Each structure stands twice: as C-alpha cells, then as structure tokens.
Amino acid sequence: MKVTIVGAGNVGATCADVISYRGIASEVVLLDIREGFAEGKALDIMQCATNTGFNTKVSGVTNDYSKTAGSDVVVITSGIPRKPGMTREELIGINAGIVKTVAENVLKHSPDTIIVVVSNPMDTMTYLALKSTGLPKNRIIGMGGALDSSRFRTYLSLALDKPANDISAMVIGGHGDTTMIPLTRLASYNGIPVSQFLSEEALQKVAADTMVGGATLTGLLGTSAWYAPGASVAFLVDSILNDQKKMIACSVFVEGEYGQNDICIGVPCIIGKNGVEEILDIKLNDQEKALFAKSADAVRQMNDALKSILA
C-alpha cells in the first residue's frame, strides 16, 4: 500500500513518521515545493528504521508528482500554518489555490486514490477538493474531527484522571474554534457516562478547552501543532488502508444528513477501504441540533467566501 503526503512540514512529516513506524503502509512518499526539504525529512525518517524496527520505504521528492503514481491514499497538508491570533478561516484565500492545484496534480498520476484533506480551513478545503476534482464524495475526507475528538478525549482524561484510551468521545460540526461540537452527553468512561463522574460545570470547561485546543497550542508554540494532527491523519489512513471500518468523525459531503446539504462538515462516519462507507445517524437532542445547524451556517459562509475568491 502506498501513501503520498503533500507538504513535508511538521504535520506531514509527523504523519509520515507515524505511518512508517506503525507499518500502516509499505511505501510513503513525501512531496514538497521546497528544494530538498522532503528528501531530507524522508532520509531522516528512514534512518530511524534500524532502531524502531519498521520496514516501510520512505522517499522524498521536490514537486515531482510522477513519483506519487499509484498512491492508494493522498494526504494534503499543503498551505501555510496558523500564527498566534490567526483563525483557521483567515487562511482561506491563501490555501485555496494550493489545495486545488495539489488535488488536480495527484489525480493525474493516481486517479483512483482517496484524498485526505488536512489544510485549513479544513471543511472549506475539503469542499473545494470535492468540487474541483469531481470525485465521488466517499473519496474526499477532511480529517478534522479525528483530531478534535482526540483532544476532547485528552481533556476528559485530565479531568477524570483516567487513561484517555478508556474514554469514548466525539466532536462533530465544523473544524473551527467556534464551530466544533464536543458531544459531552454521549462521552463515556468504559461505557459509563462521564456525567456520572464530572459535574456539568466541569464538562462545560472540558468542552470549552477542546474548542480552543488548537489555538491554545498555537499560542504556546508560535505555530500550529503537529504531533496530534499527524497522528490523527495516520489513524484515519490506517482505517482506510486496512479496511478497519472504524467510526471516526470526519468532514464529508452531506446530502440531507443532519438536515444539511451541499457542505462538508464533521459527522460520524465508517471509514474503510472505500473511504467514507457510511454516515451514521446519531440521535442528537434539540440543543445539539441547534448547535449543529449554527455550525453548518458558519461553514456555509466560509464556502461562500471561497466561491467569491475563486469567481
């Protein structure tokens, strides 16, 4: 199985590293426009093989899409990262042209690939990739919900003082500081609702911390985070390549699901060898439905801004 990662920056390189040492793919290609940058990152990862025991072939190329031919999955991380104080939405004009060009180039050499979009604003970039390529909707996936859900589980773990891997929790809605919806009502610790352990005030703090999880790290680091995003992409790619059919919150194109149409937004999906194999219908309560509708409106506004830029 072959994976191409376009953009060898912090997120792309971390994704390649995790995919390699976990043996998720047999081959990983890193591509970047900076001369020698992807080659250097790939060589650095390969030099870990004898110490970490992986056999994945990792290579890097400078803007040569022919080397990506036959990729089963292509991950797009290209674009500028957030700076402190910058919202994901502010990146729309800069990253739209990059994502569109990348998607078109990879399909010339891997027409049957599944595309995973990481670039921000992720819901809008996923929508752009879908509309500009004309691919079936199951083959374009935005990974934001996987990352947001991971952060949600982490904050719940800290509040409960229990292992994150014993916690089940999901974030739906747009991948934005004000649009994501941590589903506190449905979160559980080994099958027991977390509301039995945490007060409503504590749960609301966890939800609030989750929503600004990315901005918090940007403020601390001076740039976007990369370890958790890279690992979240690898988690999603693993479910595709190995047909694991995991339930993962992903930004996908909806046609009536959750009362929305013609946008890409985070919803619970079954992810397998065909990409998005099913969108699951979680029964939201009235408050959650209202929050989802508000989130969808915000995502739609960003799509409208995108259309005006590309017009």
Side-chain angles (χ1 to χ4, degrees):
M1 292 291 186
K2 182 175 180 177
V3 176
T4 285
I5 302 167
V6 183
N10 289 333
V11 174
T14 301
C15 177
D17 188 42
V18 175
I19 288 174
S20 299
Y21 74 67
R22 287 187 56 200
I24 293 170
S26 56
E27 182 179 0
V28 174
V29 176
L30 273 169
L31 185 148
D32 204 278
I33 61 172
R34 288 168 285 185
E35 187 70 37
F37 190 72
E39 291 88 338
K41 289 290 185 77
L43 183 59
D44 196 14
I45 293 171
M46 281 294 287
Q47 290 171 357
C48 298
T50 56
N51 295 320
T52 57
F54 71 79
N55 296 304
T56 303
K57 176 186 176 183
V58 185
S59 60
V61 295
T62 301
N63 219 30
D64 182 1
Y65 283 87
S66 68
K67 302 296 185 182
T68 71
S71 295
D72 297 284
V73 176
V74 172
V75 178
I76 302 177
T77 72
S78 304
I80 66 166
R82 282 203 290 174
K83 301 289 192 295
M86 179 183 285
T87 66
R88 293 180 177 93
E89 291 78 8
E90 289 178 279
L91 302 176
I92 186 169
I94 301 168
N95 288 347
I98 297 172
V99 170
K100 184 174 184 292
T101 300
V102 169
E104 291 169 350
N105 281 331
V106 296
L107 286 173
K108 292 176 184 176
H109 302 280
S110 303
D112 299 320
T113 196
I114 292 169
I115 294 178
V116 175
V117 179
V118 183
S119 307
N120 278 317
M122 192 216 62
D123 301 291
T124 301
M125 294 301 103
T126 304
Y127 182 83
L128 170 64
L130 178 73
K131 292 297 184 178
S132 64
T133 62
L135 287 180
K137 63 180 183 179
N138 62 297
R139 288 172 53 195
I140 302 286
I141 308 171
M143 79 91 202
L147 172 60
D148 297 334
S149 298
S150 176
R151 287 173 172 161
F152 186 26
R153 292 172 66 191
T154 298
Y155 282 117
L156 284 169
S157 168
L158 294 171
L160 290 165
D161 193 25
K162 298 292 188 295
N165 286 329
D166 284 350
I167 296 167
S168 177
M170 180 178 294
V171 176
I172 61 172
H175 180 58
D177 300 347
T178 61
T179 56
M180 65 180 74
I181 306 163
L183 294 173
T184 54
R185 179 178 63 90
L186 300 178
S188 64
Y189 165 59
N190 278 335
I192 303 171
V194 295
S195 57
Q196 293 193 23
F197 306 98
L198 297 174
S199 67
E200 181 61 26
E201 181 181 3
L203 281 173
Q204 290 307 310
K205 184 180 186 307
V206 166
D209 289 343
T210 299
M211 293 176 73
V212 297
T216 299
L217 287 165
T218 301
L220 292 169
L221 298 169
T223 187
S224 295
W226 59 90
Y227 293 121
S232 297
V233 179
F235 178 75
L236 180 57
V237 170
D238 193 10
S239 194
I240 297 169
L241 292 185
N242 294 299
D243 196 25
Q244 294 174 338
K245 302 191 188 302
K246 290 179 179 175
M247 182 175 69
I248 306 173
C250 297
S251 183
V252 299
F253 189 71
V254 290
E255 295 178 292
E257 294 91 350
Y258 294 89
Q260 300 300 323
N261 283 284
D262 195 35
I263 58 170
C264 292
I265 192 168
V267 290
C269 301
I270 299 300
I271 303 297
K273 65 180 180 180
N274 297 310
V276 181
E277 302 202 343
E278 184 182 357
I279 295 175
L280 298 178
D281 181 16
I282 291 179
K283 302 302 180 184
L284 303 179
N285 63 27
D286 289 342
Q287 181 184 20
E288 291 158 350
K289 288 178 181 177
L291 288 171
F292 193 86
K294 182 179 178 181
S295 178
D297 286 343
V299 171
R300 191 170 284 106
Q301 287 176 10
M302 283 194 290
N303 291 350
D304 290 341
L306 170 72
K307 292 172 184 175
S308 67
I309 291 170
L310 297 178

